[in-house]
Each structure stands twice: as C-alpha cells, then as structure tokens.
Amino acid sequence: MAAYLQWRRFVFFDRETVKEPAGPDAGKPFALPPGVTVCDSGRGSLVFGDMEGQIWFLSHSLQLSSFQAYKLRVTHLYQLKQHSILASVGEDEEGINPLVKVWNLEKRDGGNPLCTRIFPAIPGNKPTVVTCLTVHENLNFMAIGFADGSVVLIKGDITRDRHSKTQILHEGNYPVTGLAFRQSGKMTHLFVVTTENIQSYMLSVKDYPRLELDTHGCGLRCSTLSDPSQDLQFIVAGNECVYLYQPDERGPCFAFEGQKLLVHWYRGYLIIVSKDRKSSPKSEFAGSDPQNSDKQMLNVYDLCNKFIAYSSVFDDVVDVLAEWGSLYVLTRDGKIHVLQEKDTQTKLEDENGLKNRVIRVGTRRSQLARIQTDSVVEMLRKRYLNLHFEIVAMSTTGDKILDTALSKIGEKSLFTKELENALERNEVDLVVHSLKDLPTSLPPGFTIGAICKRENPHDAVVFHPKNYGKTLNSLPEKSVIGTSSLRRAAQLKRRFPHLEFRDIRGNLNTRLKKLDEKEDFSAIILAAAGLRRMGWENRIGQILNPEDCLYAVGQGALAVEVRARDEEILDMVSALHDGETVLCCIAERAFMRHLEGGCSVPVAVSTMLKDSQLYLTGAVYSLDGSDTLKDTMQTGVNYPQQNEEGPNDDTQYVGITAKKIPRHAQEAAENLGVELASLLLSKGAKRILNVARQLNDAR
C-alpha cells in the first residue's frame, strides 16, 4: 500500500477557464446549457444531457448544437470513442419505464441524429432505477446496472433490435454503482461493482462464469478502467483506499483518503475528485456556509511513478471530461475549466517540477517486480532529490509462457531480454531485476551497476490451509509439492523421499491461488524474499535451511542493470551497492558460470561472510537428487579500498561493476567461485550436469 501524502507534488497542468471566443460576450466565461444532468465526451465533442430531454454537443470551436432526445429528461449517456454511436437513457413519460436509445451521429433523420434502436431500460417494468450504463467498443455488448442490484446484458449488435439478445446477467442485494468492459486479446470481461462488492464476468465463455473479487465496493461514478499502460485494470475508489483489479484477482491498492465523488482515467493518469477538507476548516462547526460546503479537490495521480501531477480546488464539480488532448472540468456554476498538460521541456524547466533529467526505469509487469522496482526507485529518490524517475513496465518472454516449466523452455534471458532491448534502444536508463534471473554472462554493452542489500535468500514452504502447522517432514506419504525449480526438486527429493514433486508456474499470486483453491498441492516452494516483499510473510510455514535446500545463485538480491558506458547512470546507481551482498553474489555467479550451469540443471549455493572470510558452499545434483557433489571453500576478502582509477576502472566481475568495493576483494570472491567449481568438476560434476540436462530435455 502506498500513502499519497509521501508522494511528491508537481504542477504538470495549466488551468484556465474556457472563455467565449467571439461576439458581444467575447472574453467572458463560457456558459454551459442550463439544467445539465449527465455528461460524456468523444468523437470530437463534449456531450451533455439535460432536464428538458435535450442532448447537446459542444465542438472544439465552442459551437453548441442540440436535439430533443426525450420528452422529459436525459439520465445517462455513453459516447463510444471508436464509433459515432451514442447510447442514452431517458424518460418520455413520468413514472413510465425509461428508454434506452441508440443514436448514429453520422446519419440524420430530419436534421437530428438517426435513432437506430429504442427499447425499455428495465426488464419487466420492475420498480427500480437505472444507475449506470456501459457499451463495448466493438458494439457487441451493452450492460445496464440498476439500484436493485441487477445487471442487464445485451449481446449482439447493440444498434439493431433483431440482432441482439437481452438477459439478466447479475442479481444482487446492493445497488450497482459501476460497470466496465475489459477486452484483452479474445477475452471479454465485465466488471460489476456495487456499494458492497466487486465481481467480474467472463463473457467469452458459455454461461458467463462469475468471480467475486472483493467484499467492498464504492459509490456511483467512483470506478473506471485504466488504459494498457496500467494493464487495463479496473479501478475502484473507496473512501479509505483506491483498489486495482484484474479479472481474476486484486492488484495493488493506494491509501488515498477522503470521500471520493468522481473517478476518471486519462492518458496514464488517475483523476480523483473528492471532498476537500482543507478548504473549509470551519465548516464542521460554523453551520452550512454555502461558500465553503461545496469545495472539492481534484488530484491527478501518476500511479506508475508515484507522484501527484496536479492538484486544485474547484467549486462543485459536475464532471471531468477528456477531449482534444485536454481535461475539461465542468462545475455547477456553468463554467468549464480546461487542464492542459505541459510539454516535457516545460516540466523540466518548471521550478516546481524537475531540475534535471528524467530517469526511466524498466521493470517487468508483475506485482512483485513492481514492488521490487518501487523499493529501488525509492532508495534512489532519497539520495537524488532533484531527479525524477519514471517507471516503464513491460512483459517478458518468461511472463508470457505460463504453461511450460522454465527449465524446459531452453532460452536464456527469459525474464530479461525485452528489458535489455529497451535499455539498448535508450528507451529506459536502467532496469531492475531479481539477480537470479540475470545470466552470468551479460550481452556486450551492459553491466550490473548495483546489487542492493540481500533479503533472506532461503526457500520457504507455503502449505495448503488444511496443512497449517505441519512441516515437509510431517506431511503424509505421497503428498504433492509444487515447484518448477529443478534445483529445489532435486534437493527435496533427496531430503524428503516420501513426497512427490510437480511443476507449478505463474506469478506469486497465481501460484498461491492454485494452492489455496484446489486440492492439487499439499504445499508449494517459493523464495522467502518474494513472499516478504509482497507482505505475505505470514504465509511462510517453514524456512528451508541449507541442510535441507541450498538456494539459487543470486536469490534474494536485486540487481540494477545499466549501459556499461553510461557513466552518469552507473555512478548514480553505484550508491546502492551493498558490499557484503556484492562479494557473495560474485562468488556464486563465478561458481555457476564456470560450471556452465543455468535453470536447466540443478545447481545450488550458500554463502556467508564472517570475520573477513567469505565462505561458499556449492553443489550439483542429478534430477532425482540421487547423485550429488557438494563442497565448501573459503577465502579472505579483507582488502583496503585504494585509488584504482586507470585503464581497468571499468572492470567487471561476472557482469558486475562495483568501483567502490576493493578490486582485490572482488577478484578473491570471483576466484573462490571458480576454484570451487573446478573442484566439483574434477570430481565428476560435468557428468552429473550433462545427464541432468539430457534427461530434462527428454521430459
């Protein structure tokens, strides 16, 4: 959870009141049509519905036009962004079922947009009220939410009566406050939020399976769908926190306090309008002063990079619309305020903004990767107050292949290639990795510029709820343990022969969900560091000590990869180096590289630095753990730092550049890894690894 009060604030938008462009009122504030009840935007217009049943269009040149859509009032509008189609809900007669009307704005009927379809909004004339409306951009779904907790789904061509079917998709006890369609590839989901819960429906599958995502909801107009930069997540703004959801799970949340009134998404920014407590501090005690009671705060958040791009107080906001590359804030007094985002150069020159360059940080999209990257960026921000950091998230090959064990894929750099490509193209300035994901030989032109202080490197056991309180040793015969790591499986088969081991893939959230919701696994093995960083330390049922299971090379450490010749960035990130972790990881990586190991063979290590002595234990295993070689060596690393500038000042040790750590200590650590690997190779390690590699390829 992130508290926004700790986020830096910038003024990345300019605010102006929209003025009349010409005529006798030129220069005066532009006035909205009176009685506006609902708003939307798209296709080059701001769209309004009013209490008289009219729908209005405001062009970029501030030309107003309207037509009579209903005899009484307009209550809901939905303007599609990719089609000149407008859906509306309104009333033609008092007390009669409101009507949904679909308008083709490119075709005319007597001068007005052509109404292509009309149908009653409420099925069966139930005594309820329409609360929200949404339409899929493909024009094949429409959803209508109601105050009685039901949702009606129209499937098929929503512009024509004969080519669609209507059904009640959802029934509940709480008013529906928000709806959103999410399209990802061929998968279509519908998010449904009420005042008390959040659910998703998979519309691409027969019978539309439903999944409850949470047991709290939000008020009307307090949910929205992000764009692909935030993974098309459904955003729900409660009064204490803002929550983000994927169709099958809850993502991160942010502690944005205050009563939320309105939520929108705009070009990577989250827009929140909430009651402003600071603008009227006397209002709680001084009665209902109308000049103070309707003050509202508009905040523009960058969730990805954790800063507030803009904040301002407005009087009684009606809505916030996005069109023509700007934000338009409509207020109850009939005014329109435009928020225009500043260009990058202006942001850099703004005395309230950035003094120096913007540092772009690459990372994977997974929640754990984001948490790890956020922690590294936070350390950099504390050291470099005048720099601004932007996080660029992307999917890697390893993230996309979820149905095959990593050891079977046979490709190096599974979780790093796409990030390194972005680094090479100067799209990012540095990349944050789990060190264990980085090959021991990096591509030319790259180096590891920082290795942060190591988290607990050991493996942890997470048990199925029915096995709480047990250990691996006390699990029943034939209990199934989930792990996709050959290293873990080989060691644990040897140590716990009464257990069975099966592959399990997916990010931490997915693997824990597979464990908890099914009976396939009695327990799964995960890195303790990842669980702790996710805040799930309470799920750890057992830490595996080195006698049970040696850990992976680099496990628990975070690495910052940079361009080797980018001296500014290299110097900047080098402040994050943790000397003890660097020496341990140099020894581990040198051991792995000399063995020519990787994730396709079982290689394991354990290191310790004590009294200036570096101890390295390394081992290789057959796939079933029956054949193993294991040994320990040590070396002294107590060397003073010297002024070592000169022709070798960019020396790398197994891909790591650490100028501020004594070179002789790094050399000793690297030699330790090579010598231990040579010892095991002399005892037959190559044969064990070759057989393991062949058997793994044949599986």
Side-chain angles (χ1 to χ4, degrees), residues 59-121:
S59 70
H60 198 189
S61 61
L62 301 183
Q63 297 299 309
L64 269 173
S65 60
S66 68
F67 71 97
Q68 194 72 38
Y70 295 89
K71 295 178 182 178
L72 291 183
R73 63 186 66 87
V74 184
T75 60
H76 297 81
L77 290 173
Y78 192 95
Q79 173 65 62
L80 281 92
K81 310 307 179 190
Q82 300 174 20
H83 303 274
S84 295
I85 298 294
L86 173 69
S88 63
V89 180
E91 300 173 13
D92 277 341
E93 296 182 58
E94 202 72 57
I96 301 299
N97 193 340
L99 296 174
V100 177
K101 298 185 180 182
V102 180
W103 309 89
N104 187 328
L105 304 181
E106 291 182 341
K107 297 183 179 181
R108 313 306 282 181
D109 179 16
N112 296 331
L114 176 65
C115 183
T116 65
R117 184 176 183 188
I118 303 176
F119 61 94

